[in-house]
Amino acid sequence: NAGVMQNPRHLVRRRGQEARLRCSPMKGHSHVYWYRQLPEEGLKFMVYLQKENIIDESGMPKERFSAEFPKEGPSILRIQQVVRGDSAAYFCASSPPSAGDSQPQHFGDGTRLSIL
Amino acid sequence: RKEVEQDPGPFNVPEGATVAFNCTYSNSASQSFFWYRQDCRKEPKLLMSVYSSGNEDGRFTAQLNRASQYISLLIRDSKLSDSATYLCVVNMERGTSYGKLTFGQGTILTVHP
């Protein structure tokens, strides 16, 4: 039973490039969450998606950031024109379709993004 | 005021010690509560959910006081492997059917021989 799979584990980009982070939820899970952990800070909610739908993107920066969860394939968090402040660990979590607000979330290993 | 506030520590305790962590949250409408642990440069892993009546899982006991908006975690008979950052996590969204989690900054625990 594979857990939440994220790739790449580490990603290095130069300022102005694009970063694409991928997340495959646990088998049977259709809810995906993205969180960001800046250095020395706690995790912060970014976006919640179900298949083909963005449900809550209240934590996403207004510009340069976007997320999708297509019918087929992994969820993608895309950051355009990256800046040094985007350097962080990005974690994806998933939960089953029947999950309510009390259901724990299972996290992937994260992608550590470094901007040169 | 932070939405979820924890004493950052660090706590340095010998093996076998009992240690307690506290956490307060700002939104009285919060619905769900959890403790996660995070090892250095790893992902958060669920330790336990926290229920109103309090709950225990082996050496770990969690308590919730809704009136005081306070959550605690007690670890008995500490092991070296308990060394980690402990994250207090709250779902503050009212009326949603999904888990939009708010994390505390974490409390660092080091257990030494």
Side-chain angles (χ1 to χ4, degrees):
Chain A
N1 241 352
V4 178
M5 304 297 290
Q6 288 187 249
N7 69 83
R9 291 289 303 276
H10 300 275
L11 182 60
V12 180
R13 285 286 178 267
R14 296 189 181 280
R15 281 178 293 172
Q17 291 184 320
E18 178 179 288
R20 281 186 180 237
L21 288 61
R22 295 174 189 77
C23 170
S24 296
M26 284 180 73
K27 189 175 180 180
H29 286 193
S30 58
H31 296 197
V32 166
Y33 304 80
W34 285 94
Y35 293 84
R36 177 167 68 173
Q37 187 172 29
L38 293 168
E40 308 302 323
E41 293 191 16
L43 279 81
K44 296 277 195 293
F45 169 83
M46 298 182 77
V47 61
Y48 162 56
L49 309 103
Q50 296 178 13
K51 284 284 185 182
E52 300 184 278
N53 281 304
I54 297 173
I55 308 301
D56 184 336
E57 57 181 347
S58 57
M60 289 277 271
K62 294 286 183 277
E63 296 175 348
R64 304 186 297 108
F65 284 71
S66 62
E68 62 176 9
F69 190 14
K71 189 176 179 182
E72 302 290 337
S75 175
I76 306 283
L77 179 68
R78 182 181 177 208
I79 312 172
Q80 295 178 290
Q81 298 175 305
V82 295
V83 301
R84 287 246 170 90
D86 296 333
S87 296
Y90 292 82
F91 290 100
C92 171
S94 72
S95 61
S98 57
D101 59 1
S102 61
Q103 185 77 20
Q105 294 170 21
H106 300 273
F107 284 80
D109 291 343
T111 293
R112 274 149 191 86
L113 176 64
S114 298
I115 308 303
L116 301 179
Chain B
R1 183 186 172 188
K2 291 179 184 173
E3 292 180 297
V4 178
E5 194 142 11
Q6 297 180 247
D7 179 349
F11 285 65
N12 291 295
V13 303
E15 275 185 289
T18 295
V19 61
F21 303 140
N22 304 320
C23 169
T24 56
Y25 57 96
S26 61
N27 188 342
S28 60
S30 298
Q31 299 296 318
S32 312
F33 310 89
F34 311 92
W35 283 100
Y36 279 74
R37 67 171 278 169
Q38 187 175 25
D39 293 289
C40 188
R41 301 185 66 75
K42 299 281 192 178
E43 78 278 18
K45 288 185 178 172
L46 177 69
L47 186 63
M48 58 199 302
S49 300
V50 186
Y51 304 116
S52 296
S53 53
N55 48 302
E56 188 174 306
D57 183 1
R59 298 181 293 108
F60 300 86
T61 301
Q63 298 279 352
L64 168 64
N65 184 323
R66 284 186 185 270
S68 303
Q69 295 174 212
Y70 169 90
I71 308 162
S72 66
L73 176 69
L74 184 78
I75 306 176
R76 290 182 299 278
D77 189 23
S78 300
K79 311 288 184 194
L80 295 176
S81 58
D82 292 335
S83 297
T85 298
Y86 288 82
L87 305 173
C88 178
V89 184
V90 177
N91 182 355
M92 295 196 162
E93 294 295 303
R94 188 176 191 177
T96 66
S97 59
Y98 58 94
K100 182 176 173 180
L101 301 180
T102 301
F103 285 75
Q105 258 190 288
T107 299
I108 299 170
L109 171 66
T110 302
V111 181
H112 57 81

